Amino acid sequence: MRVIVALPRSSDDDLLRSTGLTLTEYVVLMSLSEGENQELRMANLAAATALSASRITRVVDALQSRGQVVKRRYEGDARGNVATSYWATCSPTKYPQQRSGPSENRRTVMRDRGRVQRE
């Protein structure tokens, strides 16, 4: 029974240390990235992440305060909100430019974080 409790906590701690995201925030961003136009209605996002409506609201609000998500009213129904990944709102020129290949891009990211590692 300890593994069921300890493993998610350990994974959450590792992810938080390496990316600054909790496991829940990561799952929310992943779900948004898989949505059409990288957006989902809040109710659909809650269902996709198995979170309650109030919990998804708190998580999205935290991500929005850090500039990773944009939340707006749903145009088709004034009662609902839509969460959109920040990257979906950027023009293509704002996306990070990929260098020669994935491995070079990975080295650049690692260098930017202060840990230069070669593959």
Side-chain angles (χ1 to χ4, degrees):
M1 198 62 155
R2 288 183 183 173
V3 170
I4 293 172
V5 173
L7 189 59
R9 285 183 185 163
S10 176
S11 297
D12 198 37
D13 290 344
D14 288 345
L15 187 63
L16 187 59
R17 262 192 309 279
S18 65
T19 66
L21 295 170
T22 65
L23 189 55
T24 301
E25 291 169 337
Y26 177 81
V27 170
V28 167
L29 290 173
M30 184 184 68
S31 297
L32 286 174
S33 74
E34 294 172 349
E36 187 175 335
N37 298 323
Q38 296 188 24
E39 67 181 21
L40 288 171
R41 288 190 64 166
M42 293 291 284
N44 295 345
L45 185 56
T49 57
L51 297 173
S52 67
S54 63
R55 179 72 176 130
I56 197 68
T57 298
R58 287 194 308 270
V59 172
V60 168
D61 287 347
L63 290 168
Q64 184 176 23
S65 72
R66 295 195 312 256
Q68 295 170 313
V69 169
V70 176
K71 188 168 88 170
R72 62 175 170 74
R73 285 271 178 217
Y74 180 61
E75 296 164 3
D77 180 2
R79 296 175 296 161
N81 288 312
V82 173
T84 307
S85 167
Y86 166 76
W87 294 107
T89 65
C90 293
S91 67
T93 57
K94 286 190 177 181
Y95 281 97
Q97 297 296 317
Q98 187 172 10
R99 294 189 166 67
S100 63
S103 62
E104 178 62 32
N105 195 32
R106 181 166 183 253
R107 281 192 293 270
T108 301
V109 169
M110 297 300 277
R111 188 178 316 116
D112 291 345
R113 290 190 180 149
R115 298 174 294 209
V116 178
Q117 291 183 349
R118 300 283 178 198
E119 295 174 8

